[in-house]
Amino acid sequence: MADMSPLFRSKGPAPRDRLVTLIGKPGCHLCDDAQEVIEKVCGDLGVPWEKRDITEDAELHAQYWEQIPVVLVDGRQHTFWRVDEGRLRAELTGN
């Protein structure tokens, strides 16, 4: 696929068709930092995002407690602990 002309490569869904989910908890400074990055990137690209609280969801708590904040893109884990703005932007734009 790397040898294909850019005209024929699939770029995947448009940014506005993606969904970013931040999984964290209140009082978590890393979660606050992650939210700032998500708000900036998603705001720039027009990507919807949501915030989920692990203290209100036993399944999320069991799955992600040791990794918060966790960022999902379209329901798949993108990163945890620290959110890299460039990496998130690249994931959402297909670059």
Side-chain angles (χ1 to χ4, degrees):
M1 184 145 159
D3 295 337
M4 291 180 84
S5 166
L7 294 173
F8 298 107
R9 285 189 206 145
S10 172
K11 290 202 171 228
R16 70 183 173 282
D17 297 329
R18 312 297 301 268
L19 176 64
V20 174
T21 304
L22 171 60
I23 300 170
K25 69 175 188 157
C28 165
H29 74 280
L30 289 177
C31 300
D32 295 340
D33 293 347
Q35 182 172 332
E36 286 182 30
V37 173
I38 291 167
E39 286 176 342
K40 180 179 189 312
V41 172
C42 289
D44 289 350
L45 299 175
V47 175
W49 71 278
E50 65 182 357
K51 190 160 127 177
R52 305 278 306 274
D53 183 346
I54 63 167
T55 66
E56 296 177 356
D57 186 317
E59 187 176 325
L60 289 178
H61 186 276
Q63 188 170 0
Y64 296 116
W65 174 249
E66 294 181 1
Q67 296 179 330
I68 62 165
V70 174
V71 177
L72 309 178
V73 174
D74 300 331
R76 297 183 62 183
Q77 188 168 339
H78 170 74
T79 195
F80 62 97
W81 294 338
R82 300 257 182 217
V83 181
D84 180 88
E85 179 180 339
R87 183 168 175 257
L88 180 59
R89 190 177 297 276
E91 172 74 20
L92 294 171
T93 60
N95 294 325

